[in-house]
Amino acid sequence: MNISDRVYLVGSGKYGMELSESMDCNVYLLDGGTECALVDAGGGIEPERIVANIERSGFSMAQVKRLLITHVHGDHAAGAYYFHSRYGIEVVASEEAAAWLTAGDMDKTSLNHAKRGGVYDPDFLFPACPVERSVREGDIVRVGDIELRVIDSPGHARGHISFLWDKGEGERGLFAGDTVFAGGKVVMQYVWDCDIGQYADTIHKLHRLRIDRLYPGHGPFLLANAGRHIEKAHGCFSRLELPPNL
């Protein structure tokens, strides 16, 4: 599904567009001309549905060279092994989270905790997946002729990163994972690495970036005025309040 210039929505579960398996996050395909990249991998339950959506959008899996992981919770990263092992796609994750994805660490990815809370079925799997490139704040990831800047964005999860695409001409887009959503909503959970102070600092950082387009990990994407939505979350934290949860 083409949602904006060179950006396609190819996966989305029960908290989004129901485009693929219900546990999937929003999965985006970025068209860099000579090559493509996926932003996040979904939950890995029926990844073939994401592949079908990629092909339905006019691309082949041979064009997809890179998988950019925002964070390693199950709904965003458990599908990484499928794409890496079947198609040889390079996996990119933050320096902190790379080791947890490589090991399939059920505690650091909060999967064991989420299973106890009933978020995932007891038999939900998170296969270990090699990470070819680990990145940090300010690093550049190139997808063909597109340049993305890594933004450290912890709060929802440790090792969470976002990807900033500054096209110039007043058009600045952010692939935000689970950092911030339409309406200024956030996702705070009772897991080991969700931290309110870090969340407030991250939202303050994103507020200063003046984002035009927001591609979040769940729910609707925003193709204009995204900064106003981020400002709502920033305003809540500034007043010592918590933004509404998604």
Side-chain angles (χ1 to χ4, degrees), residues 30-33 35-37 66 68 141-148:
L30 189 55
D31 176 13
E35 62 181 11
C36 299
R66 211 156 280 114
L68 315 182
V141 178
R142 290 182 174 82
V143 181
D145 61 3
I146 291 173
E147 186 174 282
L148 303 172

Side-chain angles (χ1 to χ4, degrees), residues 33-244:
T34 58
E35 62 181 11
C36 299
L38 292 176
V39 179
D40 285 329
I45 297 176
E46 294 180 352
E48 301 85 0
R49 295 176 63 178
I50 295 174
V51 172
N53 289 329
I54 291 170
E55 294 174 343
R56 196 173 293 119
S57 298
F59 300 92
S60 72
M61 290 305 298
Q63 294 173 269
V64 184
K65 302 298 186 183
R66 211 156 280 114
L67 170 59
L68 315 182
I69 299 293
T70 60
H71 64 297
V72 293
H73 286 169
D75 54 337
H76 289 255
Y81 177 75
Y82 171 84
F83 290 104
H84 172 78
S85 62
R86 188 173 182 88
Y87 299 105
I89 296 174
E90 178 189 59
V91 178
V92 179
S94 74
E95 286 186 343
E96 184 170 24
W100 308 334
L101 181 55
T102 299
D105 191 315
M106 303 276 277
D107 291 317
K108 292 296 188 181
T109 61
S110 296
L111 186 58
N112 282 335
H113 199 156
K115 283 186 175 183
R116 290 193 295 270
V119 177
Y120 299 100
D121 291 337
D123 59 351
F124 182 86
L125 297 177
F126 194 141
C129 178
V131 175
E132 283 81 7
R133 182 182 176 190
S134 58
V135 294
R136 65 172 74 177
E137 173 86 16
D139 282 352
I140 299 300
V141 178
R142 290 182 174 82
V143 181
D145 61 3
I146 291 173
E147 186 174 282
L148 303 172
R149 179 158 60 93
V150 175
I151 307 294
D152 283 342
S153 45
H156 171 74
R158 287 274 294 273
H160 194 301
I161 54 178
S162 303
F163 298 94
L164 178 69
W165 182 15
D166 194 344
K167 297 177 65 176
E169 300 178 356
E171 187 176 322
R172 179 175 273 192
L174 186 74
F175 296 90
D178 282 357
T179 299
V180 66
F181 304 86
K185 295 182 179 181
V186 298
V187 174
M188 285 178 281
Q189 300 170 299
Y190 172 48
V191 293
W192 76 274
D193 58 337
C194 186
D195 185 284
I196 292 175
Q198 288 184 335
Y199 221 142
D201 290 343
T202 288
I203 295 298
H204 177 65
K205 179 195 295 186
L206 298 185
H207 172 62
R208 294 172 58 190
L209 289 177
R210 306 300 180 192
I211 303 299
D212 303 296
R213 297 187 174 191
L214 180 67
Y215 305 100
H218 301 279
F221 45 86
L222 302 171
L223 301 183
N225 302 316
R228 298 179 187 176
H229 296 251
I230 298 172
E231 186 176 15
K232 289 182 180 180
H234 174 63
C236 287
F237 280 126
S238 297
R239 295 189 299 272
L240 311 185
E241 301 171 358
L242 297 180

